[in-house]
Amino acid sequence: MTANDAPPVERLPAPEPWSPTVLFETVRIAMSHYSTRQATRAWTAQVLVEQMHRVSRERGHGTVNTGEANRLTLTLLQHLELVYRFRGGIFSSRPPLVLRELDLSEQVFTNLNLRSVTFHSCKLDGSDLSHARFAECTFTACSFEGTDLERARLYRCAFRGCSFRQASLVEAAFNQCRLLGCNLDEAATDGTRGLPQI
């Protein structure tokens, strides 16, 4: 087969009108391009993050309910983890992954496992992050009000200007973490280990 006989590169579907079907087709094509080295890690991650923002916006407009948004967001997070884990490993030559102004509130992310992700101005109010694991993540101006972080494991994470008001941090483990200007009013901290002084 010559270069002229090669099949054309499959294009991403048109972004409008958006639907969960369009999201899944976009993810399928982007991951296919990444696995066959037709796309870079940075491009693939950007496509997935754009879809996360779209889910957040559609949820805000009421066109996607919380349960469907939860399912779609988890799918996208799992694919992001795959992109950053493979082809050279999660620690080598990867662009920073920054999630900004996402509404992830009232969602279920139990046992979520993320490394080296920056969250900026994201809402996780009332979400279930119990047993989640975060390593070397940064959270700036994020809201965890009423969030369940029971038995979460946090390693070398930084929290700046975040609110944990009425959150449950019961038996959570903060290992070498920093909290600067955070609000822990009415947070449950029974059995919490390593929680730094505010």
Side-chain angles (χ1 to χ4, degrees), residues 5-26:
D5 296 327
V9 174
E10 192 172 9
R11 295 186 178 184
L12 296 178
E16 300 295 343
W18 182 90
S19 69
T21 301
V22 170
L23 179 148
F24 284 115
E25 183 66 3
T26 299

Side-chain angles (χ1 to χ4, degrees), residues 15-16 18 49-64 101-103:
E16 300 295 343
W18 182 90
V49 169
E50 285 172 2
Q51 290 300 311
M52 287 184 70
H53 280 281
R54 190 59 190 262
V55 171
S56 182
R57 283 197 304 273
E58 295 298 329
R59 183 182 174 206
H61 296 325
T63 53
V64 174
E101 299 179 355
L102 287 173
D103 184 358

Side-chain angles (χ1 to χ4, degrees), residues 15 19 27 45-46 127:
S19 69
V27 170
Q46 181 64 36
S127 288

